Amino acid sequence: MSSPVTVSSILPSGARRLWLSLFSVAILSGCSSLYYDTMEKFGYEKRDILVDRVEDARDSQNDAQETFRSSLERFQSVVDTPDTELKERYAEISDAYEDSQSSAEEVRDRIEKVEDVAEDLFDEWEDELDKYESASLRRSSEQQLDETRAQYGQLIRRMHAAEERMDPVLQAFQDQVLYLKHNLNAQAIGSLENELVGIRQDVDALIRNMEQSIAESEAFIRRFRNGG
């Protein structure tokens, strides 16, 4: 007997995730249960949705790394700017702050979406344990549930640790933008230069945490892709 045709089987990973994202916008505005029911009719289970959302969260953190690095470089470039060009540079770092803020919001949104589907998946998995007739199969499934929950717990802690590291960087960026807004002169630039040492340390710590979170995401994705 031939295998059923599903969204997973006919679309490559990138296109499948795009299709899922667009479908999510259309359906999740109504009812999550309707969304899941519809996806299951296409052969797309909660575990598949979870993997896609972890991939999206990983990608958003990758993007955020680059955005924060770039923003730091743009702040650093102001230090060597003559007074005559400060207004132009102010506009640039204001944009850098806004880019960083937007990137951080995307990361938070992706993490929230991971949590939503993970909670629904684990609730369903636990409820269905009572439907087993075979005690051995039930024990095996329960063990897999516990192992998956443990790995997911480690993953989401890493994600939140990286997420929390964004706040002090964003606050530091905002402080500098506000200060320069009203003090476009050499003295203000000197103050910025002093603050940049601490900001750079915060950005470095943020990137390290994001790299750990991304690595944890990759491990989680591999486990599911391999049928774990």
Side-chain angles (χ1 to χ4, degrees), residues 96 145 153 163:
L145 170 59
E163 178 187 11

Side-chain angles (χ1 to χ4, degrees), residues 22-208:
L22 294 173
F23 189 79
S24 298
V25 172
I27 298 296
L28 282 179
S29 57
C31 175
S32 59
S33 60
L34 172 61
Y35 168 70
Y36 291 135
D37 289 344
T38 304
M39 293 302 292
E40 286 178 6
K41 289 177 182 177
F42 283 97
Y44 210 74
E45 303 292 338
K46 289 184 181 71
R47 61 184 287 122
D48 301 308
I49 300 169
L50 176 59
V51 170
D52 275 331
R53 292 191 182 179
V54 171
E55 289 177 335
D56 288 340
R58 174 204 61 194
D59 292 346
S60 72
Q61 290 180 96
N62 266 320
D63 291 342
Q65 282 185 317
E66 295 307 313
T67 300
F68 278 95
R69 279 196 187 102
S70 173
S71 295
L72 179 62
E73 290 172 1
R74 289 153 81 180
F75 273 80
Q76 180 66 53
S77 71
V78 176
V79 172
D80 302 320
T81 301
D83 284 2
T84 55
E85 299 177 13
L86 283 180
K87 285 187 178 180
E88 181 180 335
R89 287 298 188 180
Y90 165 75
E92 185 173 338
I93 65 169
S94 181
D95 288 344
Y97 166 64
E98 290 176 4
D99 289 346
S100 298
Q101 193 174 39
S102 177
S103 187
E105 289 172 359
E106 178 72 9
V107 169
R108 294 188 182 102
D109 180 64
R110 294 299 185 184
I111 293 173
E112 184 176 340
K113 284 181 168 59
V114 168
E115 290 180 304
D116 287 344
V117 71
E119 181 178 341
D120 291 337
L121 170 64
F122 293 138
D123 286 347
E124 177 186 71
W125 196 338
E126 190 162 11
D127 289 343
E128 290 180 347
L129 290 176
D130 294 332
K131 297 181 180 180
Y132 280 95
E133 184 71 25
S134 168
S136 61
L137 289 178
R138 185 190 191 284
R139 284 194 300 272
S140 177
S141 183
E142 187 171 20
Q143 181 180 356
Q144 289 180 3
L145 170 59
D146 291 342
E147 291 172 354
T148 305
R149 264 184 171 151
Q151 189 180 25
Y152 168 76
Q154 186 169 339
L155 167 66
I156 206 65
R157 285 192 295 273
R158 291 283 194 192
M159 284 186 173
H160 281 305
E163 178 187 11
E164 290 167 4
R165 285 284 186 179
M166 294 189 296
D167 292 331
V169 176
L170 288 171
Q171 186 60 60
F173 283 170
Q174 182 184 50
D175 286 350
Q176 297 309 311
V177 170
L178 290 173
Y179 186 70
L180 285 178
K181 180 179 181 180
H182 301 289
N183 299 275
L184 289 174
N185 52 46
Q187 184 178 357
I189 294 300
S191 298
L192 172 60
E193 187 172 12
N194 293 334
E195 292 292 328
L196 276 174
V197 175
I199 295 174
R200 189 177 295 106
Q201 291 173 346
D202 285 341
V203 171
D204 288 344
L206 166 63
I207 289 173
R208 284 195 300 271

